[in-house]
């Protein structure tokens, strides 16, 4: 029956039972050796390339204030300022000053009453929205404002470290009164 199965492209599993076991063992051994060798190869590469951990930036000031709320825990403080200084190269330092306005948002003051003919866009989020570590003009809400034009007002209402539940509560307490047309 082996010649019939072989002639249609199939093999009798009983014909070469020893070869399959030895081949499988070799593959397992090669996989184990590769797993053991990978960290060694990575370590050698790191040492040859001189890779070092990124320096920890220094921080002065504060933009966060404690909240008397078990969900919010903290929020942006009014008129806060935090300065980060970090190495941007071998001999270069980068200094980023991050500020909150008196309304607790990043960016310019916004009138509570929305100007006529203006679409107000509120951007909620965590440090990606707030723009932790970058200049205010480099945040995505600022980039959106730059592209949106004068008839759109974009507000950066991000708070570093917030999750969705905190963002919803933050919106209800501090943002909703600004009557946004769009919330991102």
């Amino acid at each position: 029956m082996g010649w019939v199965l072989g002639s249609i492209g199939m093999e009798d599993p009983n014909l070469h039972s020893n070869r399959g076991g030895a081949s499988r063992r070799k593959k397992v051994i090669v996989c184990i050796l590769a797993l053991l060798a990978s960290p060694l190869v990575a370590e050698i590469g790191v040492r040859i390339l001189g890779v070092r951990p990124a320096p920890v930036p220094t921080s002065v000031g504060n933009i966060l204030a404690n909240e008397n709320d078990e969900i919010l825990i903290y929020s942006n403080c009014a008129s806060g300022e935090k300065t980060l200084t970090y190495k941007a190269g071998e001999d270069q330092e980068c200094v980023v000053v991050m500020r909150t306005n008196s309304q607790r948002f990043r960016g310019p003051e916004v009138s509570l009453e929305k100007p006529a003919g203006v679409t107000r866009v509120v951007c909620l989020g965590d440090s990606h929205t707030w723009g932790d570590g970058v200049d205010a003009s480099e945040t995505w809400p600022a980039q959106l404002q730059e592209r949106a034009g004068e008839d759109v007002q974009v507000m950066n209402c991000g708070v570093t470290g917030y999750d969705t539940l905190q963002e919803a509560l933050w919106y209800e307490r501090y943002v909703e009164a600004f009557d946004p047309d769009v919330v991102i």
Side-chain angles (χ1 to χ4, degrees):
M1 183 138 156
W3 68 270
V4 173
L5 292 173
S7 66
I8 59 171
M10 298 177 68
E11 226 176 276
D12 185 349
N14 298 322
L15 287 178
H16 304 289
S17 60
N18 279 347
R19 190 170 13 139
S23 176
R24 184 172 292 135
R25 265 186 254 117
K26 285 180 185 176
K27 288 178 183 177
V28 169
I29 290 170
V30 167
C31 287
I32 290 171
L33 289 175
L35 284 171
L36 293 174
S38 296
L40 180 63
V41 170
E43 179 69 25
I44 291 169
V46 164
R47 289 178 187 237
I48 289 172
L49 295 173
V51 176
R52 302 281 179 258
V56 177
T58 59
S59 174
V60 177
N62 193 13
I63 54 170
L64 299 174
N66 291 330
E67 287 276 344
N68 194 15
D69 184 284
E70 63 184 40
I71 295 172
L72 279 184
I73 304 167
Y74 62 90
S75 66
N76 292 343
C77 63
S79 303
E81 182 174 295
K82 177 178 170 183
T83 303
L84 285 181
T85 305
Y86 59 92
K87 283 193 167 241
E90 207 47 45
D91 299 324
Q92 290 183 329
E93 269 191 353
C94 184
V95 177
V96 177
V97 179
M98 299 170 289
R99 293 181 179 93
T100 55
N101 61 29
S102 67
Q103 299 157 322
R104 301 174 174 235
F105 311 132
R106 187 159 190 192
E109 299 282 327
V110 177
S111 65
L112 190 57
E113 188 175 315
K114 184 173 37 179
V118 168
T119 301
R120 186 170 277 173
V121 178
V122 161
C123 302
L124 296 176
D126 57 13
S127 59
H128 295 284
T129 300
W130 162 258
D132 202 20
V134 299
D135 189 68
S137 65
E138 296 175 296
T139 65
W140 71 261
Q143 295 293 311
L144 178 61
Q145 178 65 68
E146 188 177 303
R147 287 163 179 75
E150 292 180 20
D151 58 340
V152 176
Q153 184 180 59
V154 179
M155 296 172 58
N156 183 341
C157 301
V159 180
T160 296
Y162 266 16
D163 62 23
T164 308
L165 180 59
Q166 289 169 308
E167 290 165 12
L169 188 56
W170 166 255
Y171 175 82
E172 288 174 7
R173 286 200 187 155
Y174 298 105
V175 182
E176 190 172 28
F178 288 86
D179 192 28
D181 297 299
V182 178
V183 178
I184 300 174

